[in-house]
Amino acid sequence: MKPIDQPEVLSTPEPAGSRAPFSDFLGTFKDSLKNVFRMREDMEQLSSTRGLPPYVLREIMATVPLSAFIPVEHGGRGGKLDEGIALLEAASYESLSLSLIFGINWALFIQPLTKYGQVSTQRAVFKDFMQKQKMGGLMITEPDYGSDALHMQTCWTKQGENCHITGTKHWAGLTGWADYWLLTARHSSPDKGLGRDIDFFICDANAAGQRIVVEEKFKNLGLYMIPYGRNQIDVLIPESHRLVAQTTGIKMMLDLLHRSRMQFPGMAMGFLTRILDEATAHCRQRKVGDRNLLGYDQVQARLAKIQSAVTICAAMCVSSSERAGLENNLAGQGLEANAIKTCVTDLMQEAAQSLLQLVGAKGYKLDHFAGRALVDSRPFQIFEGSNDILYAQISESLLKQMKMAKEKNLFGYLSGLDLTERSSPRLKKDLDFELDPAMSQRKLVELGLLVSRILVMNMVINLGDRGFDTRLIASCLTNLQQEISRGLTSYSFANRSEVIDLEDSHPGWRDFCHPTSNRTPST
């Protein structure tokens, strides 16, 4: 049975694009995107309507873009990190939603299947991806267990040669669209109940006994192209479709998620470049008074920050393409992965806010790029780990490492860490203090943000050494130092404010409009 609302796509029996030089392959892909998103007269309405018209997906998928992520032995281009990131960049310049569709397929389905899947399953699934342009996604999140994934209630039991999986999942990107799903569940037994570890299974939504029922389609605020919803799972999956963990399922999940977070810059790169291009073009054309917007200092400050975000993202892309390969186990690389994900998604939202501010009222239209960029980039700070939680985890990881190294001084530790050894000396005067290991949660979040910026500064310095434009590097480092300085001020400020528990209601302001002599002033 075909999944709900699955757009029809053309079959491509011989994916010639997978054999072409990558520059030609990418050029063909970009041409198809330009034709779809710029040449068609009706595409402006796409941003304000839900879903993706079949002809749009058909034209894009005809270039076999997912072949960039698939191993050579299964007919793909090999899944090279730099090529995959470049493809996400090209897609996100035209559409952040489309780039996320590819990112979901790559990081949350194809890569886990490539690294942990059984060969017979890889062969069948990747054949469908290459010849029929099928898609896959990942289901982890549950209605009552969002960020608390380790306590998910979806369970599985063995039934002969199959695994019976039952539960409820929601907010899985491509709900009702994907042909294949990577499902997460905990083993259940009558005597022990739910096990502590997590298992992964490949579900073929078109196969008998494996159909996932979409109970509700969500009206998501942004990313209109991508369907989300609540899914009821009651499926029988062959044992051969279970992923094989190298150690534990939890470490496999961390390896998967950390790799995905390190590939976020691919989706951000084209998006940020587009924002910079749109903002610069608008400021050149828009006149206020006797000059265009480029002549105003505050406008220059905003544009410089957007430009710095593009440079930072470029540095992240270079770093991730060299460090996030499948040959590396990233389960223990939470500090780096979380720093990349949080920083780049903050940059995406900040850049979108600046673009909307520069464009003004017309940018607030639903079908204007500035307004779309603002709403579409916001969930990136939430999914795959809320940034507040990840910032706290960065600090917790750092404090744990410092304790093991018997080092209390922040500069003393960061100066010897390979991720920050080049950026920390520039900040020695500010970082030369001891951390309190018993700091509050809010301070963990503030410290995590600070450390993430120091880490990406290290990447920018490394990018400069490779010959990247020295003017862009210098401007970027200046902006980063300013942000780190603000972060240090916030971290050092003692703020223990809490919500005041008001028994009745909040005081009404009108009672204080006409002060009387017998009123006691508030303290």
Side-chain angles (χ1 to χ4, degrees):
M1 182 178 294
K2 186 168 71 68
I4 301 172
D5 298 334
Q6 170 67 47
E8 297 294 334
V9 296
L10 292 179
S11 175
T12 307
E14 297 181 1
S18 65
R19 298 189 298 271
F22 182 69
S23 57
D24 295 343
F25 171 81
L26 187 62
T28 300
F29 177 65
K30 288 181 176 179
D31 288 343
S32 72
L33 296 182
K34 289 177 182 177
N35 184 55
V36 166
F37 289 101
R38 301 191 196 187
M39 305 304 291
R40 294 182 182 272
E41 296 180 358
D42 56 346
M43 289 310 294
E44 280 301 316
Q45 301 176 6
L46 186 62
S47 59
S48 56
T49 56
R50 296 187 181 275
L52 198 59
Y55 72 86
V56 173
L57 187 64
R58 183 165 58 242
E59 184 166 339
I60 294 171
M61 296 301 285
T63 65
V64 203
L66 298 185
S67 66
F69 310 140
I70 294 173
V72 173
E73 57 268 30
H74 296 294
R77 299 190 57 85
K80 297 178 182 178
L81 265 293
D82 61 321
E83 293 187 359
I85 289 173
L87 187 133
L88 294 184
E89 176 188 2
S92 66
Y93 189 89
E94 302 297 341
S95 167
L96 189 57
S97 295
L98 181 65
S99 186
L100 181 56
I101 289 174
F102 291 138
I104 290 170
N105 273 274
W106 185 27
L108 302 182
F109 186 85
I110 293 174
Q111 285 184 324
L113 177 58
T114 300
K115 184 168 184 176
Y116 299 105
Q118 300 181 48
V119 175
S120 59
T121 305
Q122 291 177 347
R123 186 181 302 116
V125 173
F126 288 145
K127 181 180 179 180
D128 275 352
F129 271 66
M130 291 297 298
Q131 295 187 3
K132 300 178 182 178
Q133 290 78 62
K134 292 193 173 183
M135 296 190 293
L138 169 67
M139 289 188 180
I140 291 183
T141 308
E142 299 182 3
D144 296 324
Y145 299 89
S147 299
D148 189 16
L150 296 182
H151 289 93
M152 67 178 66
Q153 298 300 293
T154 301
C155 62
W156 71 275
T157 55
K158 194 76 187 306
Q159 290 191 9
E161 297 299 317
N162 296 318
C163 299
H164 183 210
I165 304 175
T166 58
T168 303
K169 301 286 189 182
H170 73 166
W171 284 114
L174 306 181
T175 291
W177 271 18
D179 304 276
Y180 291 97
W181 287 102
L182 187 55
L183 301 180
T184 56
R186 297 161 66 193
H187 183 255
S188 177
S189 60
D191 53 337
K192 296 183 179 179
L194 284 176
R196 296 182 62 184
D197 206 12
I198 295 173
D199 292 290
F200 288 75
F201 301 85
I202 300 294
C203 176
D204 181 353
N206 294 306
Q210 297 186 47
R211 182 173 181 266
I212 294 175
V213 178
V214 180
E215 294 184 324
E216 178 188 1
K217 284 287 188 70
F218 296 156
K219 294 181 179 179
N220 33 294
L221 179 64
L223 299 171
Y224 275 13
M225 282 188 192
I226 306 177
Y228 291 92
R230 185 176 68 253
N231 304 273
Q232 187 62 41
I233 300 169
D234 188 353
V235 295
L236 279 174
I237 295 180
E239 176 67 30
S240 61
H241 284 211
R242 180 180 172 187
L243 299 193
V244 181
Q246 296 173 349
T247 52
T248 67
I250 291 176
K251 288 187 177 180
M252 176 166 59
M253 182 172 70
L254 289 174
D255 179 46
L256 178 163
L257 291 176
H258 290 168
R259 181 169 291 102
S260 176
R261 290 168 188 168
M262 290 178 71
Q263 292 168 185
F264 267 53
M267 293 182 285
M269 191 70 223
F271 176 75
L272 289 169
T273 304
R274 173 72 178 275
I275 285 182
L276 179 60
D277 289 348
E278 295 280 347
T280 305
H282 172 77
C283 292
R284 284 197 179 111
Q285 297 165 5
R286 177 68 169 169
K287 280 197 172 185
V288 176
D290 59 347
R291 50 184 166 167
N292 61 27
L293 287 179
L294 281 177
Y296 290 89
D297 182 60
Q298 175 59 17
V299 171
Q300 284 289 325
R302 285 193 181 275
L303 291 176
K305 285 201 68 174
I306 299 173
Q307 195 170 57
S308 292
V310 174
T311 303
I312 291 170
C313 194
M316 289 181 180
C317 289
V318 171
S319 179
S320 292
S321 68
E322 296 175 351
R323 297 172 64 92
L326 291 180
E327 69 278 5
N328 300 322
N329 190 320
L330 304 181
Q333 304 303 312
L335 191 153
E336 180 178 7
N338 293 347
I340 289 174
K341 189 270 183 184
T342 50
C343 183
V344 81
T345 54
D346 281 354
L347 292 175
M348 292 167 71
Q349 178 64 190
E350 291 164 8
Q353 291 278 5
S354 279
L355 175 62
L356 185 56
Q357 192 70 30
L358 290 169
V359 169
K362 68 178 181 180
Y364 205 61
K365 294 179 180 178
L366 186 60
D367 60 353
H368 192 281
F369 175 77
R372 269 198 331 269
L374 186 69
V375 216
D376 287 350
S377 62
R378 185 61 180 90
F380 281 74
Q381 294 174 298
I382 300 172
F383 58 59
E384 280 202 41
S386 168
N387 281 11
D388 277 0
I389 294 174
L390 297 185
Y391 280 134
Q393 289 179 358
I394 290 171
S395 296
E396 290 166 350
S397 175
L398 180 71
L399 290 170
K400 183 178 179 180
Q401 293 177 25
M402 291 178 67
K403 182 178 180 180
M404 293 176 62
K406 297 181 179 179
E407 176 64 75
K408 295 182 179 180
N409 186 279
L410 181 58
F411 172 76
Y413 185 75
L414 293 181
S415 61
L417 186 66
D418 65 331
L419 297 173
T420 52
E421 62 184 358
R422 303 198 63 199
S423 54
S424 53
R426 293 171 173 256
L427 308 161
K428 180 178 180 180
K429 182 179 178 181
D430 296 322
L431 301 178
D432 191 12
F433 62 91
E434 291 189 359
L435 291 178
D436 176 9
M439 69 182 74
S440 64
Q441 188 180 51
R442 69 185 70 184
K443 289 303 176 186
L444 288 174
V445 173
E446 290 176 354
L447 177 64
L449 189 150
L450 181 65
V451 171
S452 73
R453 274 38 175 192
I454 298 171
L455 189 147
V456 299
M457 177 185 278
N458 207 84
M459 295 180 185
V460 172
I461 294 171
N462 289 336
L463 180 65
D465 287 349
R466 298 189 179 196
F468 201 81
D469 192 305
T470 55
R471 298 167 301 171
L472 294 175
I473 295 293
S475 176
C476 180
L477 292 176
T478 298
N479 277 290
L480 275 171
Q481 284 187 274
Q482 183 183 29
E483 184 173 4
I484 291 169
S485 178
R486 285 199 302 266
L488 284 163
T489 300
S490 177
Y491 177 75
S492 62
F493 186 80
N495 177 10
R496 296 292 299 171
S497 61
E498 297 179 352
V499 174
I500 308 301
D501 186 9
L502 299 172
E503 295 182 1
D504 298 318
S505 61
H506 194 82
W509 61 269
R510 292 184 65 196
D511 295 338
F512 303 88
C513 285
H514 305 288
T516 60
S517 58
N518 60 355
R519 175 171 290 148
T520 303
S522 59
T523 57

